[in-house]
Amino acid sequence: MTLVIDHIGELVTNDATEGDGPLGIVRDAALVIGGDGRVAWVGARSSAPAADRSLDARGTAVIPGFVDSHAHLVFAGDRAAEFAARMAGSPYTGGGIRTTVAATRAASDDDLRATVGRLRREMLWQGTTTIEIKSGYGLTVADERRSLRIAGEFTDETTYLGAHVIPADADPDDYTALVCGPMLSAAAPYARWIDVFCERGAFDEDRSRAVLTAGIRAGLGARIHANQLTPGGGVRLAVELGAASADHCTHLAPPDIDALAASVGGGAPGTVATLLPGAEFSTRSRYPDARALLDAGATVALATDCNPGSSYTSSMPFCIALAVREMRMTPAEALWSATAGGAKALRRTDIGHLGVGARADLAILDAPSFVHLAYRPGVPLVRTVLVSGVPAGGTPIDGAAQLTEATINGGHH
Ligand SMILES: [Zn+2]
């Protein structure tokens, strides 16, 4: 069955060959989805081919589904009190991770699964069609493997983050050896990526290098939490090891920016700078210098960092609004970073854009332009979400109002 989305006021394809400007915008557009769940045709509605079914966008904007390339969804417990204390003046140190670790270890599989499912639904309703999910609140061989097994029920983009924090009772060298040895062996079959929190009080540069190198040797792709709370060598380590993404990038020196920019030269996928403004918002910290990264030519992604401690938002539109208002990104740059940028941070070419052949993951907005995502912060503007061409929320085709459990990454192919 083919489907035409007709009467699109503003279609963002992120494909310059399909439309105007870097976002590849087509006005008064239509988009046809083939029976394989992929984009089959894009263009002016006046020349759209016929399809089996149609969905009227009523003159609104249609954008690629958001790609949230950084989220910690496998956890238990609640840290609202810690947030309230922080807003009353306590600093954020990352130490609260251990609170979540204790709750996560004590939780049942079904409890963890229910939390991931709830957050994934929140994300879907807000237009996110691909999510990355990290482990990192288990920190034992069994609990890290369990976290990744559950994450894998919801996404293909699973990340082993045994190197999230050194457990309170562990020796740093012994724990790093565990992360690089038996824990990695247990986690690798369930993970696509390996990640490390490279930070003072977590994993220093040498230990971070050991963790990522071990993961790469085990066949995992590398990504890193770098330069979040303090300056350091994390970003340069990411570039040196060919990591897909360096995440946070809040405290950068000029050589860090240069390294990120140089990594994307010559057609190489390079290391994406993934900015997570929800973390700065929720810890009342200085925002990353997105302008310096963009002006230097680095590839920038935006993601939620959804986690119970430092950024408990599941909303990509909120992150876009923060990026525009607080980090001086243009609305167009922010939308690109939240879609195509996230896809690049996951080294995916099938998502994050709506060119012919892309997976038909998209959001129909209750707004005439994507600019409203930042212009109307906090307003639920996502009306309909399609994952691989299948309606997943909001106003569905043929009037059957229901949220289907369409999986965000797969399940339809
Ligand atoms: Zn994170």
Side-chain angles (χ1 to χ4, degrees):
M1 288 267 272
T2 57
L3 168 70
V4 59
I5 302 177
D6 195 12
H7 200 199
I8 301 170
E10 178 184 273
L11 173 63
V12 175
T13 66
N14 280 341
D15 189 337
T17 65
E18 308 279 7
D20 295 333
L23 290 187
I25 290 177
V26 186
R27 295 185 198 285
D28 202 20
L31 181 148
V32 178
I33 300 167
D36 58 357
R38 290 181 180 268
V39 176
W41 186 91
V42 172
R45 64 183 297 246
S46 54
S47 47
D52 300 325
R53 295 182 301 167
S54 77
L55 177 59
D56 187 350
R58 298 182 225 153
T60 61
V62 172
I63 62 172
F66 300 121
V67 178
D68 190 348
S69 60
H70 186 136
H72 307 249
L73 305 188
V74 189
F75 66 85
D78 180 280
R79 284 159 63 189
E82 180 190 318
F83 174 77
R86 200 158 62 232
M87 293 302 105
S90 305
Y92 176 69
T93 61
I97 291 170
R98 294 190 182 93
T99 311
T100 301
V101 169
T104 304
R105 287 176 181 171
S108 70
D109 286 11
D110 282 345
D111 286 344
L112 295 177
R113 199 173 277 125
T115 296
V116 179
R118 173 176 63 80
L119 292 168
R120 188 195 62 167
R121 274 192 299 281
E122 284 184 11
M123 291 170 154
L124 196 55
W125 287 333
Q126 296 171 93
T128 300
T129 50
T130 300
I131 49 175
E132 181 258 22
I133 302 179
K134 301 176 193 300
S135 67
Y137 294 119
L139 309 188
T140 65
V141 171
D143 285 306
E144 285 297 301
R145 179 175 48 205
R146 170 170 88 127
S147 295
L148 287 163
R149 182 169 44 75
I150 291 169
E153 296 172 16
F154 297 89
T155 185
D156 297 331
E157 301 293 348
T158 53
T159 300
Y160 165 47
L161 181 57
H164 197 184
V165 69
I166 293 162
D169 53 351
D171 171 79
D173 287 326
D174 292 347
Y175 186 70
T176 304
L178 179 70
V179 167
C180 298
M183 193 185 283
L184 172 62
S185 301
Y190 301 97
R192 177 169 184 224
W193 303 97
I194 185 160
D195 193 348
V196 56
F197 186 19
C198 181
E199 186 61 60
R200 203 178 292 168
F203 291 79
D204 65 18
E205 197 180 323
D206 287 344
R207 293 194 185 103
S208 297
R209 179 190 302 276
V211 168
L212 293 182
T213 303
I216 291 166
R217 209 175 286 138
L220 305 182
R223 41 206 323 109
I224 185 169
H225 285 65
N227 302 58
Q228 177 187 3
L229 306 175
T230 57
V235 163
R236 276 165 281 165
L237 177 64
V239 173
E240 178 198 321
L241 296 179
S245 181
D247 296 31
H248 284 291
C249 295
T250 308
H251 294 269
L252 297 186
D256 301 321
I257 296 171
D258 292 345
L260 288 165
S263 77
V264 294
T271 301
V272 173
T274 299
L275 309 184
L276 309 165
E280 278 77 32
F281 177 88
S282 301
T283 58
R284 195 176 278 149
S285 303
R286 191 188 87 183
Y287 288 93
D289 190 349
R291 281 262 53 93
L293 287 161
L294 289 163
D295 294 346
T299 302
V300 172
L302 285 171
T304 61
D305 195 15
C306 184
N307 79 83
S310 59
S311 182
Y312 201 10
T313 182
S314 53
S315 173
M316 290 293 280
F318 174 64
C319 294
I320 286 173
L322 288 179
V324 171
R325 172 62 180 82
E326 303 293 336
M327 305 198 309
R328 295 185 299 135
M329 292 175 75
T330 67
E333 287 168 341
L335 178 64
W336 188 92
S337 292
T339 51
K344 285 189 185 297
L346 295 172
R347 300 226 164 132
R348 294 276 296 268
T349 56
D350 58 328
I351 55 174
H353 68 106
L354 293 173
V356 169
R359 214 168 75 175
D361 292 358
L362 58 86
I364 303 176
L365 304 182
D366 196 4
S369 168
F370 74 88
V371 176
H372 282 228
L373 292 165
Y375 173 49
R376 306 198 64 209
V379 178
L381 294 178
V382 174
R383 178 154 63 87
T384 303
V385 179
L386 268 61
V387 179
S388 291
V390 177
T395 305
I397 302 168
D398 302 328
Q402 62 185 29
L403 176 75
T404 67
E405 279 293 317
T407 55
I408 289 190
N409 283 299
H412 296 289
H413 56 91

